[in-house]
Amino acid sequence: MKVFIVHAHAEPESFNGTLTRHAKQVLETAGHEVIISDLYAMNFDPVSDRRNFTSQKNPDYFKQQIEEMYATEVNGFAPDIQAEMEKLEWCDLLIMQFPLWWFSLPAILKGWVDRTFALGKIYGGGKWYDNGVFQGKKAMLSLTTGGPENMYTAIGINGNINEILFPIHHGILRFVGFDVLPPFIAWAVAHADEEKRQAYLNAYQDRLLKIAETEPIFYPSLSDYDDRFQLKSK
Amino acid sequence: MKVFIVHAHAEPESFNGTLTRHAKQVLETAGHEVIISDLYAMNFDPVSDRRNFTSQKNPDYFKQQIEEMYATEVNGFAPDIQAEMEKLEWCDLLIMQFPLWWFSLPAILKGWVDRTFALGKIYGGGKWYDNGVFQGKKAMLSLTTGGPENMYTAIGINGNINEILFPIHHGILRFVGFDVLPPFIAWAVAHADEEKRQAYLNAYQDRLLKIAETEPIFYPSLSDYDDRFQLKSK
């Protein structure tokens, strides 16, 4: 299995860092290949605009999707974006490792999506959801939270974690065709002692070694929607 | 009313730009004050790390929340962050103007939140949700989408827009105390003709002139949760 970990944390010695190093070691020991984009270490620029491209379709008006379509035609993506696209094409499993910031991705990781997931190359022309470019590949979020699990239940003060992650799971990963595996979540790690952290590392190892048998999150298929993109009644 | 618009679009002549200019003109004509943070024009840096601070609590290990608490104590926020905090304190109404990218905020705007909404200064110590720092202030999203409205219904292929916006509405704006007004959404603007665009501008004007009478989105109060942060049964 070829595994691509996109890692987003400013502090290398953070628990996020420990999780990514652990994943690399566990997966490589099991015979898999692992590459990591450590976005902070790479000084990755998350701002999406003309910097995404070496090509230019319309110099007078910047419409990102027009420029993406054109760059797809003429190989006009900037080298930093081209490199990330090639890692996505290469992998069988994408893991995003991040701390949940403001109930979403840290900006450096959101911008990695904004810039890399380009119209033409990564989606569009009927290629979305289960017909997406990355169909057959798997993706999984591995995240840490500030608050404890009880805050993220259906009746918890922060709301259901599955609803909080829905825009990422469905709107980013499933949108481009990935089978989305249930997330690995290390809760309230700032308050976790060494024993608790070791338990998380063991649990993550179990998850990583069972990727092949893990059932993806269920989403309807394109064929379940009518021509106005509404779910057909059964 | 003091209105703070945070604007996130790379193309000044985009419909997002038109909406923000229209809002400024409409609100000022009605006697309100308006300031705008045009994040692309400001070349705002959305990457959150030590660059957020002039102070430093722990040079060996970067834990953002520790540094935020310390910066709150010693006035150690970087000038670009301090400036945004002052605009938040000044305003009665915050508007975020952005294109919905990957079912969320563009990275430049997500990073504005990641960096500016600092522990100590903007939340923490029991100051959250209806006891938040910004209680009594209002906030509203104004966004454009790629897809048409029918894709964003409860049975639409992209999912319910209210669920997609929940992490922003509840997890960012309500979390720090704002009363969250229903969003203003201009659907599929790339495909909208001049007449449709003018209708959106008129509708936005109506919304802006009725801010005072607009009912915020209902969320439970802190007092509706028990000491494990679970909603009490009635």
Side-chain angles (χ1 to χ4, degrees), chain A residues 50 52-59 62-77 85 118-121:
Chain A
R50 288 204 189 273
N52 303 358
F53 312 102
T54 56
S55 58
Q56 183 168 265
K57 177 73 173 177
N58 184 346
F62 176 69
K63 171 91 185 128
Q64 183 161 314
Q65 293 183 317
I66 299 282
E67 298 297 338
E68 287 174 344
M69 288 292 286
Y70 184 64
T72 300
E73 254 177 67
V74 301
N75 284 317
F77 291 101
M85 288 171 167
L119 182 67
K121 188 88 171 189

Side-chain angles (χ1 to χ4, degrees), chain A:
Chain A
M1 199 167 56
K2 292 169 179 160
V3 184
F4 176 24
I5 305 178
V6 186
H7 178 86
H9 202 290
E11 171 54 59
E13 298 308 315
S14 70
F15 193 60
N16 276 267
T18 306
L19 285 164
T20 286
R21 284 189 294 273
H22 189 59
K24 181 176 162 68
Q25 185 251 309
V26 165
L27 289 164
E28 287 181 347
T29 302
H32 304 296
E33 292 175 73
V34 178
I35 55 174
I36 298 171
S37 281
D38 182 341
L39 299 181
Y40 274 93
M42 295 158 68
N43 203 15
F44 186 81
D45 181 350
V47 177
S48 190
D49 60 12
R50 288 204 189 273
R51 73 193 73 182
N52 303 358
F53 312 102
T54 56
S55 58
Q56 183 168 265
K57 177 73 173 177
N58 184 346
D60 299 321
Y61 185 91
F62 176 69
K63 171 91 185 128
Q64 183 161 314
Q65 293 183 317
I66 299 282
E67 298 297 338
E68 287 174 344
M69 288 292 286
Y70 184 64
T72 300
E73 254 177 67
V74 301
N75 284 317
F77 291 101
D80 59 341
I81 299 309
Q82 184 65 37
E84 297 310 302
M85 288 171 167
E86 284 166 14
K87 294 175 204 171
L88 282 166
E89 281 160 23
W90 170 85
C91 77
D92 305 307
L93 169 66
L94 169 70
I95 296 175
M96 290 183 174
Q97 177 67 54
F98 62 98
L100 190 69
W101 279 1
W102 295 102
F103 300 88
S104 188
L105 304 175
I108 200 169
L109 181 50
K110 178 54 169 47
W112 178 87
V113 175
D114 290 345
R115 299 185 67 208
T116 307
F117 284 31
L119 182 67
K121 188 88 171 189
I122 309 288
Y123 73 99
K127 293 197 173 296
W128 62 338
Y129 294 118
D130 48 309
N131 194 42
V133 165
F134 297 133
Q135 59 188 284
K137 295 179 191 270
K138 299 170 199 279
M140 182 172 83
L141 304 182
S142 173
L143 57 135
T144 60
T145 66
E149 186 169 9
N150 54 289
M151 286 188 181
Y152 295 89
T153 64
I155 58 164
I157 191 162
N158 288 342
N160 186 329
I161 191 66
N162 295 315
E163 292 176 17
I164 291 164
L165 298 178
F166 173 78
I168 308 171
H169 278 153
H170 187 262
I172 296 174
L173 299 172
R174 186 62 184 156
F175 192 94
V176 297
F178 286 106
D179 286 329
V180 183
L181 304 184
F184 178 77
I185 306 177
W187 303 97
V189 286
H191 306 286
D193 59 19
E194 274 314 303
E195 189 184 355
K196 184 74 196 161
R197 286 181 176 223
Q198 190 55 54
Y200 277 131
L201 291 174
N202 296 345
Y204 192 35
Q205 176 162 341
D206 286 351
R207 279 295 310 274
L208 292 168
L209 295 176
K210 285 181 188 151
I211 292 292
E213 309 98 271
T214 303
E215 201 64 35
I217 299 172
F218 172 79
Y219 297 115
S221 158
L222 285 172
S223 63
D224 295 325
Y225 292 91
D226 66 20
D227 56 8
R228 292 195 69 253
F229 303 104
Q230 306 297 290
L231 209 51
K232 297 172 192 166
S233 41
K234 300 280 172 185

Side-chain angles (χ1 to χ4, degrees), chain A residues 102, chain B residues 4 6 35 37 39 42 44 48 51-55 64-65 67-92 94 111-123 133-134 137 176 178:
Chain A
W102 295 102
Chain B
F4 176 24
V6 185
I35 56 175
S37 281
L39 299 181
M42 293 157 70
F44 186 81
S48 190
R51 75 192 73 183
N52 302 358
F53 311 102
T54 55
S55 57
Q64 182 161 315
Q65 293 183 318
E67 298 297 337
E68 287 174 344
M69 288 290 286
Y70 185 64
T72 300
E73 252 177 66
V74 301
N75 284 317
F77 291 101
D80 60 340
I81 299 309
Q82 184 66 36
E84 298 310 303
M85 288 170 166
E86 284 167 14
K87 294 174 203 170
L88 282 166
E89 281 160 22
W90 170 85
C91 77
D92 305 306
L94 170 70
W112 178 86
V113 175
D114 290 345
R115 300 185 68 208
T116 307
F117 284 31
L119 182 66
K121 189 86 170 189
I122 308 288
Y123 72 100
V133 165
F134 297 135
K137 297 179 192 269
V176 296
F178 286 106

Side-chain angles (χ1 to χ4, degrees), chain A residues 103 157-158, chain B residues 127-132 170-171 174-177 222:
Chain A
F103 300 88
I157 191 162
N158 288 342
Chain B
K127 292 198 173 297
W128 62 338
Y129 294 117
D130 47 310
N131 194 42
H170 187 261
R174 187 60 183 157
F175 193 94
V176 296
L222 285 172

